[in-house]
Amino acid sequence: MSVVVVAHIRPLPEHLDAVKEAFLEILPQVHAEPGCELYALHEADGVLVMIEKWESQEALNTHMTAPALTAVGPKLAGKVTGAPEVQLLTPLPTGTKGAL
């Protein structure tokens, strides 16, 4: 069953653009990772929200140590208020085509 992750990243206001750019740079690499079904960056009121969907927990685990994600960490140093707030979700079966 797929695993959905919602991560809230809170950049310091003066670093919002730099933090957005850091994540936008890695999107193609992450999309190419095995098991990545969705990796999409959103913004609301100065908070970045990454919505991810992985085909399995194993694929997510691999992503957590993949080069793209580990490379973004140093680019965020001193530019965010702290670690991302991460929610790990398991979709409930809906029977609806196109559901996350």
Side-chain angles (χ1 to χ4, degrees):
M1 175 163 291
S2 295
V3 177
V4 174
V5 176
V6 178
H8 293 81
I9 303 109
R10 300 181 191 285
L12 296 170
E14 65 271 22
H15 295 295
L16 176 61
D17 289 338
V19 174
K20 277 196 283 192
E21 185 59 34
F23 280 103
L24 291 172
E25 285 177 6
I26 68 167
L27 287 178
Q29 292 172 281
V30 175
H31 288 148
E33 290 177 17
C36 179
E37 297 177 356
L38 177 69
Y39 197 77
L41 186 64
H42 301 78
E43 181 183 359
D45 301 321
V47 176
L48 300 179
V49 180
M50 185 67 75
I51 300 175
E52 309 173 33
K53 184 178 178 190
W54 297 92
E55 72 179 23
S56 66
Q57 183 64 51
E58 292 77 21
L60 174 59
N61 292 346
T62 300
H63 164 67
M64 297 304 292
T65 59
L69 192 60
T70 58
V72 81
K75 294 180 179 183
L76 303 181
K79 296 178 180 161
V80 293
T81 62
E85 176 187 323
V86 178
Q87 293 177 298
L88 183 62
L89 310 173
T90 302
L92 299 175
T94 64
T96 304
K97 185 174 182 174
L100 276 179

